[in-house]
Amino acid sequence: MSHLPKLRLRMRRLRRTPKIRSMVRETNVSTSDLVYPIFVDENIKERREIRSMPGQFRIPLDDVADEVKEAAELGIPAVILFGIPSRKDERGSSAYAASGVVQTAVRNIKKELGDDICVITDVCLCEYTTHGHCGVVDPKTRRIKNDETLELLAKTAVSHAEAGADIVAPSAMMDGMVAAIRDSLDREGFEDVLIMSYAAKFASSLYAPFREAANSAPSFGDRSTYQMDFANALEALREVELDLKEGADIVMVKPAMCYLDVLYRVKEKFGVPTAAFNVSGEYAMIKAAAANGWLEEPKVVLEVLTCIKRAGADLILTYFAKDVAKMLKGYSEPK
Ligand code: PBG
Ligand code: ZN
């Protein structure tokens, strides 16, 4: 034994007891970091569980305020709303109807809860168009028409603001969408409404459960002419830079788990409020493994969200938000 060097520095001293570990822990997820996504469905009267997202439901308009209230009472500061309309058309006109599903939901929530919850609305067309794309489609070429789409996204954002949304979150990945929305909001007197841009949104196969839930899969082709190639990180930095120049208050990286390098670089380079979307496929994978007894769900969820925060997220959009809020209420280190 005497031939071994004397260890003056022993890293394990910092790990000896739970109290010591908690004192030197660098990152803690807190409920105040979380945003809870909610699907509001104008076609139903009773909540319906989403097949590929166990524990998540499509919520009828009459129940949405109660659903949000439950999240607020758990200490969750914000929800993000996705709408499932009763009517779709080529130009997604239900997305910007004054009495559309999201607009009505926001009014119901705000009437009940006021500023006790921050209401974020997803601004996109794919749930509202017959073809399921996030923009206007040219019938001849089948291309997505960028500049024509901007007007519709801006109209949608303004209609959400009129209903009382605190933050609008454009997710269509059209060029210039943040500028178009900022200009329209300001013109209509909504200069205090924030924009959280889905700035680096990748064309990911991990959105499949969401598309099943929202009935928003494209009927032809895919989203790779507008959402980003998952191979690219430098391009993500350009997207974020552009959105910030156009007036985004918060930028988002989406998905989260496989994109922590992108998240880290965005936070390092710009140092602005940064969100990460722990998407439906990430939720489904953990749920499926846990249901098989292959993973311990609460531990995995806490690890995943802590690592997303460690990589640079200030806020995390996650379907686990309510579960985590409950866990953290009585939380001490897992044994
Ligand atoms: C709408 C939108 C999508 C998601 C958020 N907003 C789906 C898509 O781009 O097809 C995905 C969220 C998730 O998978 O949890 N454009
Ligand atoms: Zn979309």
Side-chain angles (χ1 to χ4, degrees):
M1 279 309 191
S2 60
H3 63 282
L4 290 174
K6 179 169 163 43
L7 288 172
R8 290 184 191 84
L9 204 52
R10 288 178 180 272
M11 295 306 284
R12 291 182 57 195
R13 278 196 289 264
L14 291 165
R15 302 172 195 146
R16 191 173 59 84
T17 72
K19 291 293 181 220
I20 295 171
R21 290 197 292 276
S22 78
M23 286 191 291
V24 299
R25 186 166 297 127
E26 298 172 35
T27 309
N28 286 290
V29 184
S30 102
T31 300
S32 62
D33 303 324
L34 306 177
V35 177
Y36 186 53
I38 296 177
F39 297 95
V40 195
D41 189 339
E42 144 178 91
N43 305 291
I44 57 176
K45 284 276 164 240
E46 305 267 305
R47 60 177 53 209
R48 295 227 192 118
E49 190 162 23
I50 299 158
R51 191 191 58 96
S52 50
M53 301 176 73
Q56 301 304 310
F57 296 80
R58 289 185 281 127
I59 309 291
L61 270 169
D62 285 345
D63 294 359
V64 73
D66 285 346
E67 178 70 23
V68 173
K69 196 167 172 215
E70 192 191 322
E73 280 168 357
L74 285 166
I76 295 167
V79 294
I80 181 163
L81 303 181
F82 300 99
I84 303 163
S86 57
R87 222 176 40 81
K88 302 189 189 220
D89 58 33
E90 283 289 305
R91 294 172 67 83
S93 60
S94 304
Y96 37 91
S99 58
V101 54
V102 167
Q103 293 81 354
T104 307
V106 174
R107 286 196 177 91
N108 291 353
I109 294 163
K110 283 296 177 183
K111 196 166 69 192
E112 193 99 354
L113 291 157
D115 282 339
D116 290 344
I117 194 82
C118 171
V119 175
I120 308 174
T121 55
D122 186 82
V123 174
C124 205
L125 300 180
C126 51
E127 295 107 304
Y128 305 89
T129 50
T130 38
H131 45 71
H133 277 287
C134 305
V136 177
V137 173
D138 184 314
K140 281 205 203 84
T141 63
R142 286 191 151 189
R143 291 210 182 118
I144 316 301
K145 296 166 94 177
N146 193 86
D147 299 11
E148 248 181 72
T149 303
L150 297 182
E151 271 173 56
L152 305 186
L153 293 172
K155 270 169 82 169
T156 304
V158 167
S159 72
H160 292 175
E162 277 166 347
D166 299 289
I167 304 181
V168 293
S171 69
M173 287 296 284
M174 294 295 134
D175 290 322
M177 71 180 179
V178 173
I181 288 171
R182 186 72 271 163
D183 284 353
S184 293
L185 287 174
D186 291 355
R187 199 182 319 117
E188 301 296 328
F190 297 111
E191 48 280 291
D192 288 338
V193 171
L194 288 83
I195 298 178
M196 175 168 77
S197 176
Y198 287 69
K201 179 177 181 179
F202 290 87
S204 171
S205 298
L206 293 164
Y207 308 152
F210 174 102
R211 290 180 193 166
E212 181 183 310
N215 186 24
S216 64
S219 64
F220 65 89
D222 57 30
R223 305 212 198 289
S224 51
T225 67
Y226 41 107
Q227 297 181 351
M228 282 188 55
D229 183 338
F230 51 69
N232 299 351
L234 292 171
E235 189 185 337
L237 299 178
R238 293 183 74 196
E239 283 281 3
V240 169
E241 185 173 17
L242 265 171
D243 281 8
L244 289 170
K245 281 197 182 125
E246 292 179 27
D249 300 287
I250 303 171
V251 291
M252 191 200 296
V253 174
K254 177 188 173 199
M257 288 168 67
C258 294
Y259 298 80
L260 296 186
D261 59 323
V262 176
L263 182 59
Y264 177 78
R265 289 161 83 164
V266 165
K267 190 54 185 292
E268 283 286 297
K269 184 165 171 136
F270 301 102
V272 300
T274 304
F277 202 141
N278 178 217
V279 299
S280 58
E282 298 173 313
Y283 177 86
M285 289 194 288
I286 292 173
K287 280 287 179 183
N292 277 293
W294 298 337
L295 288 176
E296 275 185 67
E297 181 178 322
K299 287 187 181 179
V300 171
V301 169
L302 222 43
E303 177 179 339
V304 164
L305 297 187
T306 303
C307 293
I308 293 171
K309 186 164 179 190
R310 191 202 62 226
D314 300 293
L315 45 158
I316 306 172
L317 293 79
T318 179
Y319 301 96
F320 290 113
K322 286 200 292 184
D323 302 339
V324 175
K326 285 175 197 163
M327 264 190 261
L328 292 176
K329 282 199 162 198
Y331 179 70
S332 60
E333 175 170 300
K335 296 206 180 66

PDB file of all heavy atoms in Angstrom, residues 277-301:
ATOM      1  N   PHE A 277     -37.885  22.762 -25.086  1.00  0.00           N
ATOM      2  CA  PHE A 277     -39.140  22.002 -25.139  1.00  0.00           C
ATOM      3  C   PHE A 277     -38.830  20.506 -25.066  1.00  0.00           C
ATOM      4  O   PHE A 277     -38.258  19.934 -25.982  1.00  0.00           O
ATOM      5  CB  PHE A 277     -39.903  22.324 -26.431  1.00  0.00           C
ATOM      6  CG  PHE A 277     -41.393  22.030 -26.380  1.00  0.00           C
ATOM      7  CD1 PHE A 277     -42.304  22.897 -26.995  1.00  0.00           C
ATOM      8  CD2 PHE A 277     -41.901  20.902 -25.740  1.00  0.00           C
ATOM      9  CE1 PHE A 277     -43.679  22.633 -26.965  1.00  0.00           C
ATOM     10  CE2 PHE A 277     -43.267  20.635 -25.700  1.00  0.00           C
ATOM     11  CZ  PHE A 277     -44.155  21.503 -26.326  1.00  0.00           C
ATOM     12  N   ASN A 278     -39.162  19.934 -23.914  1.00  0.00           N
ATOM     13  CA  ASN A 278     -39.055  18.492 -23.692  1.00  0.00           C
ATOM     14  C   ASN A 278     -40.301  17.876 -24.363  1.00  0.00           C
ATOM     15  O   ASN A 278     -41.362  17.809 -23.782  1.00  0.00           O
ATOM     16  CB  ASN A 278     -39.036  18.277 -22.164  1.00  0.00           C
ATOM     17  CG  ASN A 278     -38.969  16.847 -21.702  1.00  0.00           C
ATOM     18  OD1 ASN A 278     -39.595  16.489 -20.700  1.00  0.00           O
ATOM     19  ND2 ASN A 278     -38.225  16.015 -22.366  1.00  0.00           N
ATOM     20  N   VAL A 279     -40.134  17.443 -25.610  1.00  0.00           N
ATOM     21  CA  VAL A 279     -41.288  17.221 -26.490  1.00  0.00           C
ATOM     22  C   VAL A 279     -42.023  15.898 -26.235  1.00  0.00           C
ATOM     23  O   VAL A 279     -41.580  15.056 -25.447  1.00  0.00           O
ATOM     24  CB  VAL A 279     -40.885  17.301 -27.980  1.00  0.00           C
ATOM     25  CG1 VAL A 279     -40.329  18.672 -28.312  1.00  0.00           C
ATOM     26  CG2 VAL A 279     -39.908  16.185 -28.349  1.00  0.00           C
ATOM     27  N   SER A 280     -43.119  15.752 -26.987  1.00  0.00           N
ATOM     28  CA  SER A 280     -44.021  14.615 -26.786  1.00  0.00           C
ATOM     29  C   SER A 280     -43.320  13.265 -26.919  1.00  0.00           C
ATOM     30  O   SER A 280     -43.588  12.340 -26.146  1.00  0.00           O
ATOM     31  CB  SER A 280     -45.179  14.705 -27.784  1.00  0.00           C
ATOM     32  OG  SER A 280     -44.691  14.728 -29.115  1.00  0.00           O
ATOM     33  N   GLY A 281     -42.416  13.124 -27.890  1.00  0.00           N
ATOM     34  CA  GLY A 281     -41.729  11.844 -28.081  1.00  0.00           C
ATOM     35  C   GLY A 281     -40.791  11.532 -26.921  1.00  0.00           C
ATOM     36  O   GLY A 281     -40.585  10.363 -26.573  1.00  0.00           O
ATOM     37  N   GLU A 282     -40.224  12.561 -26.335  1.00  0.00           N
ATOM     38  CA  GLU A 282     -39.354  12.376 -25.172  1.00  0.00           C
ATOM     39  C   GLU A 282     -40.192  11.902 -23.979  1.00  0.00           C
ATOM     40  O   GLU A 282     -39.770  11.046 -23.194  1.00  0.00           O
ATOM     41  CB  GLU A 282     -38.624  13.681 -24.854  1.00  0.00           C
ATOM     42  CG  GLU A 282     -37.719  14.139 -25.995  1.00  0.00           C
ATOM     43  CD  GLU A 282     -37.100  15.516 -25.772  1.00  0.00           C
ATOM     44  OE1 GLU A 282     -37.816  16.463 -25.387  1.00  0.00           O
ATOM     45  OE2 GLU A 282     -35.890  15.650 -25.994  1.00  0.00           O
ATOM     46  N   TYR A 283     -41.366  12.471 -23.858  1.00  0.00           N
ATOM     47  CA  TYR A 283     -42.314  12.048 -22.809  1.00  0.00           C
ATOM     48  C   TYR A 283     -42.730  10.595 -23.031  1.00  0.00           C
ATOM     49  O   TYR A 283     -42.678   9.767 -22.117  1.00  0.00           O
ATOM     50  CB  TYR A 283     -43.528  12.982 -22.852  1.00  0.00           C
ATOM     51  CG  TYR A 283     -44.632  12.648 -21.878  1.00  0.00           C
ATOM     52  CD1 TYR A 283     -44.599  13.120 -20.575  1.00  0.00           C
ATOM     53  CD2 TYR A 283     -45.737  11.882 -22.274  1.00  0.00           C
ATOM     54  CE1 TYR A 283     -45.624  12.832 -19.669  1.00  0.00           C
ATOM     55  CE2 TYR A 283     -46.768  11.587 -21.388  1.00  0.00           C
ATOM     56  CZ  TYR A 283     -46.705  12.062 -20.087  1.00  0.00           C
ATOM     57  OH  TYR A 283     -47.720  11.776 -19.197  1.00  0.00           O
ATOM     58  N   ALA A 284     -43.103  10.293 -24.282  1.00  0.00           N
ATOM     59  CA  ALA A 284     -43.607   8.950 -24.595  1.00  0.00           C
ATOM     60  C   ALA A 284     -42.555   7.871 -24.334  1.00  0.00           C
ATOM     61  O   ALA A 284     -42.876   6.787 -23.822  1.00  0.00           O
ATOM     62  CB  ALA A 284     -44.070   8.897 -26.056  1.00  0.00           C
ATOM     63  N   MET A 285     -41.301   8.153 -24.667  1.00  0.00           N
ATOM     64  CA  MET A 285     -40.241   7.152 -24.475  1.00  0.00           C
ATOM     65  C   MET A 285     -40.085   6.802 -22.993  1.00  0.00           C
ATOM     66  O   MET A 285     -39.959   5.626 -22.634  1.00  0.00           O
ATOM     67  CB  MET A 285     -38.909   7.681 -25.010  1.00  0.00           C
ATOM     68  CG  MET A 285     -38.865   7.767 -26.522  1.00  0.00           C
ATOM     69  SD  MET A 285     -37.192   8.008 -27.157  1.00  0.00           S
ATOM     70  CE  MET A 285     -36.875   9.695 -26.702  1.00  0.00           C
ATOM     71  N   ILE A 286     -40.083   7.825 -22.161  1.00  0.00           N
ATOM     72  CA  ILE A 286     -39.916   7.587 -20.724  1.00  0.00           C
ATOM     73  C   ILE A 286     -41.137   6.853 -20.169  1.00  0.00           C
ATOM     74  O   ILE A 286     -41.018   5.899 -19.390  1.00  0.00           O
ATOM     75  CB  ILE A 286     -39.675   8.917 -19.979  1.00  0.00           C
ATOM     76  CG1 ILE A 286     -38.313   9.494 -20.388  1.00  0.00           C
ATOM     77  CG2 ILE A 286     -39.752   8.719 -18.456  1.00  0.00           C
ATOM     78  CD1 ILE A 286     -38.039  10.887 -19.854  1.00  0.00           C
ATOM     79  N   LYS A 287     -42.320   7.279 -20.591  1.00  0.00           N
ATOM     80  CA  LYS A 287     -43.561   6.636 -20.116  1.00  0.00           C
ATOM     81  C   LYS A 287     -43.599   5.164 -20.508  1.00  0.00           C
ATOM     82  O   LYS A 287     -44.008   4.312 -19.706  1.00  0.00           O
ATOM     83  CB  LYS A 287     -44.779   7.365 -20.717  1.00  0.00           C
ATOM     84  CG  LYS A 287     -45.132   8.633 -19.998  1.00  0.00           C
ATOM     85  CD  LYS A 287     -45.755   8.289 -18.654  1.00  0.00           C
ATOM     86  CE  LYS A 287     -46.119   9.534 -17.871  1.00  0.00           C
ATOM     87  NZ  LYS A 287     -46.656   9.197 -16.535  1.00  0.00           N
ATOM     88  N   ALA A 288     -43.209   4.866 -21.757  1.00  0.00           N
ATOM     89  CA  ALA A 288     -43.264   3.482 -22.239  1.00  0.00           C
ATOM     90  C   ALA A 288     -42.289   2.603 -21.462  1.00  0.00           C
ATOM     91  O   ALA A 288     -42.625   1.490 -21.043  1.00  0.00           O
ATOM     92  CB  ALA A 288     -42.946   3.438 -23.739  1.00  0.00           C
ATOM     93  N   ALA A 289     -41.084   3.116 -21.248  1.00  0.00           N
ATOM     94  CA  ALA A 289     -40.092   2.332 -20.513  1.00  0.00           C
ATOM     95  C   ALA A 289     -40.535   2.119 -19.067  1.00  0.00           C
ATOM     96  O   ALA A 289     -40.401   1.019 -18.518  1.00  0.00           O
ATOM     97  CB  ALA A 289     -38.729   3.025 -20.568  1.00  0.00           C
ATOM     98  N   ALA A 290     -41.105   3.164 -18.479  1.00  0.00           N
ATOM     99  CA  ALA A 290     -41.553   3.054 -17.084  1.00  0.00           C
ATOM    100  C   ALA A 290     -42.709   2.054 -16.974  1.00  0.00           C
ATOM    101  O   ALA A 290     -42.763   1.249 -16.037  1.00  0.00           O
ATOM    102  CB  ALA A 290     -41.969   4.424 -16.559  1.00  0.00           C
ATOM    103  N   ALA A 291     -43.618   2.085 -17.954  1.00  0.00           N
ATOM    104  CA  ALA A 291     -44.769   1.178 -17.917  1.00  0.00           C
ATOM    105  C   ALA A 291     -44.322  -0.275 -17.998  1.00  0.00           C
ATOM    106  O   ALA A 291     -44.990  -1.171 -17.488  1.00  0.00           O
ATOM    107  CB  ALA A 291     -45.719   1.498 -19.075  1.00  0.00           C
ATOM    108  N   ASN A 292     -43.182  -0.505 -18.642  1.00  0.00           N
ATOM    109  CA  ASN A 292     -42.624  -1.861 -18.719  1.00  0.00           C
ATOM    110  C   ASN A 292     -41.778  -2.228 -17.515  1.00  0.00           C
ATOM    111  O   ASN A 292     -41.228  -3.327 -17.472  1.00  0.00           O
ATOM    112  CB  ASN A 292     -41.780  -1.983 -19.987  1.00  0.00           C
ATOM    113  CG  ASN A 292     -42.635  -2.287 -21.207  1.00  0.00           C
ATOM    114  OD1 ASN A 292     -43.205  -3.363 -21.302  1.00  0.00           O
ATOM    115  ND2 ASN A 292     -42.744  -1.332 -22.100  1.00  0.00           N
ATOM    116  N   GLY A 293     -41.616  -1.282 -16.603  1.00  0.00           N
ATOM    117  CA  GLY A 293     -40.768  -1.543 -15.448  1.00  0.00           C
ATOM    118  C   GLY A 293     -39.280  -1.500 -15.780  1.00  0.00           C
ATOM    119  O   GLY A 293     -38.447  -2.001 -15.037  1.00  0.00           O
ATOM    120  N   TRP A 294     -38.930  -0.862 -16.889  1.00  0.00           N
ATOM    121  CA  TRP A 294     -37.532  -0.812 -17.322  1.00  0.00           C
ATOM    122  C   TRP A 294     -36.796   0.399 -16.761  1.00  0.00           C
ATOM    123  O   TRP A 294     -35.578   0.422 -16.730  1.00  0.00           O
ATOM    124  CB  TRP A 294     -37.437  -0.782 -18.853  1.00  0.00           C
ATOM    125  CG  TRP A 294     -38.017  -2.004 -19.507  1.00  0.00           C
ATOM    126  CD1 TRP A 294     -38.188  -3.238 -18.945  1.00  0.00           C
ATOM    127  CD2 TRP A 294     -38.503  -2.103 -20.845  1.00  0.00           C
ATOM    128  NE1 TRP A 294     -38.746  -4.102 -19.855  1.00  0.00           N
ATOM    129  CE2 TRP A 294     -38.944  -3.435 -21.037  1.00  0.00           C
ATOM    130  CE3 TRP A 294     -38.602  -1.209 -21.915  1.00  0.00           C
ATOM    131  CZ2 TRP A 294     -39.479  -3.878 -22.237  1.00  0.00           C
ATOM    132  CZ3 TRP A 294     -39.126  -1.644 -23.114  1.00  0.00           C
ATOM    133  CH2 TRP A 294     -39.570  -2.978 -23.269  1.00  0.00           C
ATOM    134  N   LEU A 295     -37.540   1.444 -16.414  1.00  0.00           N
ATOM    135  CA  LEU A 295     -36.941   2.662 -15.850  1.00  0.00           C
ATOM    136  C   LEU A 295     -37.800   3.113 -14.684  1.00  0.00           C
ATOM    137  O   LEU A 295     -39.001   2.865 -14.668  1.00  0.00           O
ATOM    138  CB  LEU A 295     -36.936   3.801 -16.895  1.00  0.00           C
ATOM    139  CG  LEU A 295     -35.977   3.725 -18.078  1.00  0.00           C
ATOM    140  CD1 LEU A 295     -36.228   4.916 -19.007  1.00  0.00           C
ATOM    141  CD2 LEU A 295     -34.523   3.715 -17.619  1.00  0.00           C
ATOM    142  N   GLU A 296     -37.170   3.791 -13.732  1.00  0.00           N
ATOM    143  CA  GLU A 296     -37.927   4.382 -12.628  1.00  0.00           C
ATOM    144  C   GLU A 296     -38.290   5.803 -13.020  1.00  0.00           C
ATOM    145  O   GLU A 296     -37.452   6.711 -13.000  1.00  0.00           O
ATOM    146  CB  GLU A 296     -37.072   4.413 -11.365  1.00  0.00           C
ATOM    147  CG  GLU A 296     -37.112   3.136 -10.575  1.00  0.00           C
ATOM    148  CD  GLU A 296     -36.343   3.296  -9.273  1.00  0.00           C
ATOM    149  OE1 GLU A 296     -36.790   4.076  -8.399  1.00  0.00           O
ATOM    150  OE2 GLU A 296     -35.289   2.668  -9.160  1.00  0.00           O
ATOM    151  N   GLU A 297     -39.552   5.997 -13.371  1.00  0.00           N
ATOM    152  CA  GLU A 297     -39.964   7.259 -13.972  1.00  0.00           C
ATOM    153  C   GLU A 297     -39.579   8.519 -13.179  1.00  0.00           C
ATOM    154  O   GLU A 297     -38.964   9.425 -13.748  1.00  0.00           O
ATOM    155  CB  GLU A 297     -41.472   7.232 -14.251  1.00  0.00           C
ATOM    156  CG  GLU A 297     -41.959   8.525 -14.902  1.00  0.00           C
ATOM    157  CD  GLU A 297     -43.436   8.502 -15.225  1.00  0.00           C
ATOM    158  OE1 GLU A 297     -43.942   7.440 -15.644  1.00  0.00           O
ATOM    159  OE2 GLU A 297     -44.082   9.545 -15.060  1.00  0.00           O
ATOM    160  N   PRO A 298     -39.919   8.610 -11.889  1.00  0.00           N
ATOM    161  CA  PRO A 298     -39.624   9.877 -11.194  1.00  0.00           C
ATOM    162  C   PRO A 298     -38.141  10.227 -11.194  1.00  0.00           C
ATOM    163  O   PRO A 298     -37.781  11.384 -11.405  1.00  0.00           O
ATOM    164  CB  PRO A 298     -40.102   9.615  -9.760  1.00  0.00           C
ATOM    165  CG  PRO A 298     -41.038   8.459  -9.856  1.00  0.00           C
ATOM    166  CD  PRO A 298     -40.589   7.637 -11.017  1.00  0.00           C
ATOM    167  N   LYS A 299     -37.299   9.251 -11.007  1.00  0.00           N
ATOM    168  CA  LYS A 299     -35.850   9.516 -11.002  1.00  0.00           C
ATOM    169  C   LYS A 299     -35.357   9.945 -12.372  1.00  0.00           C
ATOM    170  O   LYS A 299     -34.545  10.862 -12.500  1.00  0.00           O
ATOM    171  CB  LYS A 299     -35.087   8.266 -10.550  1.00  0.00           C
ATOM    172  CG  LYS A 299     -35.233   7.988  -9.068  1.00  0.00           C
ATOM    173  CD  LYS A 299     -34.320   6.850  -8.663  1.00  0.00           C
ATOM    174  CE  LYS A 299     -34.478   6.556  -7.185  1.00  0.00           C
ATOM    175  NZ  LYS A 299     -33.624   5.449  -6.769  1.00  0.00           N
ATOM    176  N   VAL A 300     -35.849   9.265 -13.407  1.00  0.00           N
ATOM    177  CA  VAL A 300     -35.424   9.608 -14.766  1.00  0.00           C
ATOM    178  C   VAL A 300     -35.874  11.029 -15.112  1.00  0.00           C
ATOM    179  O   VAL A 300     -35.118  11.820 -15.681  1.00  0.00           O
ATOM    180  CB  VAL A 300     -35.985   8.596 -15.789  1.00  0.00           C
ATOM    181  CG1 VAL A 300     -35.724   9.071 -17.214  1.00  0.00           C
ATOM    182  CG2 VAL A 300     -35.369   7.225 -15.575  1.00  0.00           C
ATOM    183  N   VAL A 301     -37.107  11.343 -14.743  1.00  0.00           N
ATOM    184  CA  VAL A 301     -37.650  12.666 -15.080  1.00  0.00           C
ATOM    185  C   VAL A 301     -36.840  13.765 -14.404  1.00  0.00           C
ATOM    186  O   VAL A 301     -36.465  14.765 -15.034  1.00  0.00           O
ATOM    187  CB  VAL A 301     -39.146  12.748 -14.673  1.00  0.00           C
ATOM    188  CG1 VAL A 301     -39.656  14.181 -14.763  1.00  0.00           C
ATOM    189  CG2 VAL A 301     -39.974  11.837 -15.569  1.00  0.00           C
TER     190      VAL A 301
END
